[in-house]
């Protein structure tokens, strides 16, 4: 199914239906019940975390430029402090690993669907002098909840990846989370949400890898860990992650973010104990959608590499403070940067991918 969705996205196919008409009435009733319960709390407006991280590493090397795109998860909705957002956590971690400052620019929009990525990419690429070195995209949940056709969703994502890759940026996509773990969602809607989320995540993986990007599955991060600890890993509205939830997701994405920039040790040997494997990209995508933290990387066509990287504990992030940042033309914009201690074209179309799986335990 994921391959059919990706093919439909690439060649202009329409929506691929998953439900029989007999199930529609029950599902619509459960959707309305879930909507009344989700959002019972109030998710605060995500704080801005744009600015420079790791200024203690300032030296002759230019700062790395990190762009974040996507929906409320990428924006950090559900937390009140800038240092708790995924962008701030990833920028701090990337600065610590690279020992270089990192300039973060987050253009993610709460409530965004994949068709908003065109606007977000245009914002990031508006100034050629500030083109990101690497971008993280986290998108898909609102596509599922708003019943956006999967083929359209994947088409929008692959177009965004292609534009950013053409501009010279490396890409890491955090695929659609498993919406079947949201606490107020009941059966059979829970089963359907899980199935549709995983199919979209797998199709996103195929489309991204074929455009030269890498993906990290977020599905099971909103799966066993979130399901077992809903009060700790979900925010006050029972829908968006809490600070602990965002830290868990960022810790899974960070190794791939570093690897795509050549900052993470790579090996040509597959680790059988970690269930790493070389598979056709569709099979790799399907397996990755079932296990959080799994990376899929395009290899020689038509293969992909499935990897489970060891997670690295994120550095403690401090609250950023306003910092004047000159804009083109001499104007000044107030960005945020953390405290000075730093806490705070290859567009081939492979069909197979490497898959790496996480060890499940962070490395100190």
């Amino acid at each position: 199914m994921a391959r059919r969705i990706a093919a439909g996205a690439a060649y202009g196919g329409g929506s691929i239906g998953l439900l029989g008409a007999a199930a529609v009435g029950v599902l619509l009733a459960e959707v309305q019940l879930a909507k009344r319960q989700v959002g019972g709390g109030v998710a605060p407006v995500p704080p801005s975390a744009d600015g420079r991280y790791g200024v203690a590493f300032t030296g002759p090397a230019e700062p790395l430029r990190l762009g974040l795109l996507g929906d409320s998860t990428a924006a950090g909705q559900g937390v009140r402090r800038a240092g708790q957002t995924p962008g701030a956590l990833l920028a701090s971690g990337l600065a610590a690993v690279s020992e270089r400052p990192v300039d973060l620019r987050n253009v993610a929009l709460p409530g965004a669907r994949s068709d908003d990525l065109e606007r977000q990419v245009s914002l990031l690429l508006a100034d050629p002098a500030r083109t990101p070195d690497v971008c993280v995209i986290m998108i898909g949940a609102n596509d599922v909840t708003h019943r956006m056709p999967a083929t359209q969703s994947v088409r929008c994502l692959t177009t965004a990846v292609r534009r950013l890759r053409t501009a010279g940026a490396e890409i890491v996509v955090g695929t659609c989370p498993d919406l079947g773990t949201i606490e107020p969602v009941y059966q059979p809607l829970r089963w359907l949400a899980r199935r549709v989320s995983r199919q979209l995540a797998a199709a996103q993986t195929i489309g991204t890898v074929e455009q030269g990007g890498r993906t990290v599955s977020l599905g099971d991060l909103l799966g066993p860990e979130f399901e077992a600890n809903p009060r700790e890993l979900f925010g006050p509205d029972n829908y968006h992650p809490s600070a602990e939830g965002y830290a868990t997701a960022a810790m899974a994405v960070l190794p791939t973010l570093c690897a795509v920039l050549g900052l993470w040790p790579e090996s040509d040997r597959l680790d059988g104990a970690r269930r790493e494997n070389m598979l056709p990209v569709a099979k790799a995508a399907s397996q990755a959608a079932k296990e959080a933290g799994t990376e899929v990387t395009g290899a020689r066509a038509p293969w992909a590499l499935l990897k489970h990287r060891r997670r690295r504990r994120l550095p403690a992030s401090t609250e950023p403070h306003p910092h004047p940042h000159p804009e083109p033309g001499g104007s000044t914009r107030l960005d945020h940067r953390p405290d000075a201690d730093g806490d705070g074209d290859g567009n081939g179309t492979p069909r197979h991918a490497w898959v790496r799986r996480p060890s499940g335990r962070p490395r100190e």
Side-chain angles (χ1 to χ4, degrees):
M1 177 62 74
R3 170 53 78 186
R4 288 175 59 197
I5 293 172
Y11 300 110
S15 176
I16 297 176
L18 299 173
L19 295 176
V24 172
V26 174
L27 293 173
L28 288 179
E30 295 219 8
V31 166
Q32 295 305 316
L33 178 62
K35 284 182 177 179
R36 285 196 295 268
Q37 296 188 48
V38 171
V42 178
V45 175
S48 173
D50 284 9
R52 181 163 296 179
Y53 291 76
V55 293
F57 300 116
T58 299
E62 288 291 320
L64 291 170
R65 292 184 294 271
L66 169 64
L68 222 68
L69 308 89
D71 53 24
S72 56
T73 304
Q77 189 166 18
V79 296
R80 299 184 182 277
R81 298 172 55 189
Q84 297 172 331
T85 62
L89 294 169
L90 289 172
S92 297
L94 182 57
V97 173
S98 65
E99 297 186 348
R100 289 172 61 181
V102 174
D103 287 339
L104 170 67
R105 189 175 182 207
N106 192 333
V107 296
L109 178 68
R113 294 176 291 183
S114 292
D115 53 6
D116 189 59
L117 288 176
E118 181 179 2
R119 181 192 64 84
Q120 296 182 27
V121 171
S122 295
L123 286 175
L124 280 181
L125 300 183
D127 182 1
R130 298 173 59 196
T131 300
D133 296 301
V134 62
C135 291
V136 175
I137 304 175
M138 302 168 75
I139 198 81
N142 294 312
D143 297 9
V144 174
T145 59
H146 290 78
R147 292 178 291 177
M148 184 177 184
T151 50
Q152 181 185 355
S153 174
V154 175
R155 187 181 304 121
C156 292
L157 174 62
T158 54
T159 299
V161 172
R162 183 166 56 249
R163 287 183 64 192
L164 291 167
R165 292 282 295 138
T166 300
E170 300 290 346
I171 306 297
V172 177
V173 174
T175 56
C176 181
D178 183 355
L179 298 181
T181 62
I182 298 173
E183 199 175 32
V185 177
Y186 305 108
Q187 298 292 6
L189 185 58
R190 179 185 291 269
W191 172 85
L192 175 66
R194 172 164 288 144
R195 181 182 179 189
V196 174
S197 299
R198 288 183 175 180
Q199 287 180 347
L200 178 57
Q204 288 176 322
T205 296
I206 295 171
T208 299
V209 168
E210 290 182 343
Q211 295 300 323
R214 303 191 190 197
T215 64
V216 177
S217 169
L218 298 182
D220 277 347
L221 292 177
L222 293 175
E225 294 177 64
F226 280 31
E227 196 168 24
N229 303 288
R231 291 292 173 257
E232 294 179 15
L233 292 175
F234 279 113
D237 62 353
N238 294 329
Y239 185 81
H240 294 98
S242 65
E244 291 81 5
Y246 282 127
T248 301
M251 188 171 63
V253 173
L254 179 61
T256 301
L257 178 63
C258 295
V260 79
L261 291 172
L263 303 172
W264 206 261
E266 295 281 10
S267 174
D268 293 332
R269 298 180 59 186
L270 296 175
D271 189 342
R274 297 165 65 84
R275 306 182 312 286
E276 296 185 347
N277 203 355
M278 178 86 83
L279 296 170
V281 67
K283 290 186 177 180
S286 178
Q287 289 194 23
K290 299 175 183 178
E291 186 170 352
T294 304
E295 175 192 312
V296 181
T297 305
R300 58 186 179 276
W303 300 92
L305 178 63
L306 192 70
K307 300 182 179 181
H308 282 163
R309 297 187 183 275
R310 297 184 184 275
R311 301 183 191 176
R312 182 184 182 108
R313 187 175 298 279
L314 295 165
S317 181
T318 57
E319 287 302 298
H321 62 271
H323 177 74
H325 186 85
E327 289 281 357
S331 61
T332 299
R333 175 172 58 88
L334 284 182
D335 273 347
H336 298 280
R337 70 168 62 171
D339 293 342
D341 59 8
D343 288 339
D345 156 339
N347 286 344
T349 57
R351 294 190 201 160
H352 292 66
W354 290 99
V355 176
R356 280 196 184 170
R357 308 178 185 273
S359 65
R361 300 179 69 91
R363 179 187 293 175
E364 296 293 342

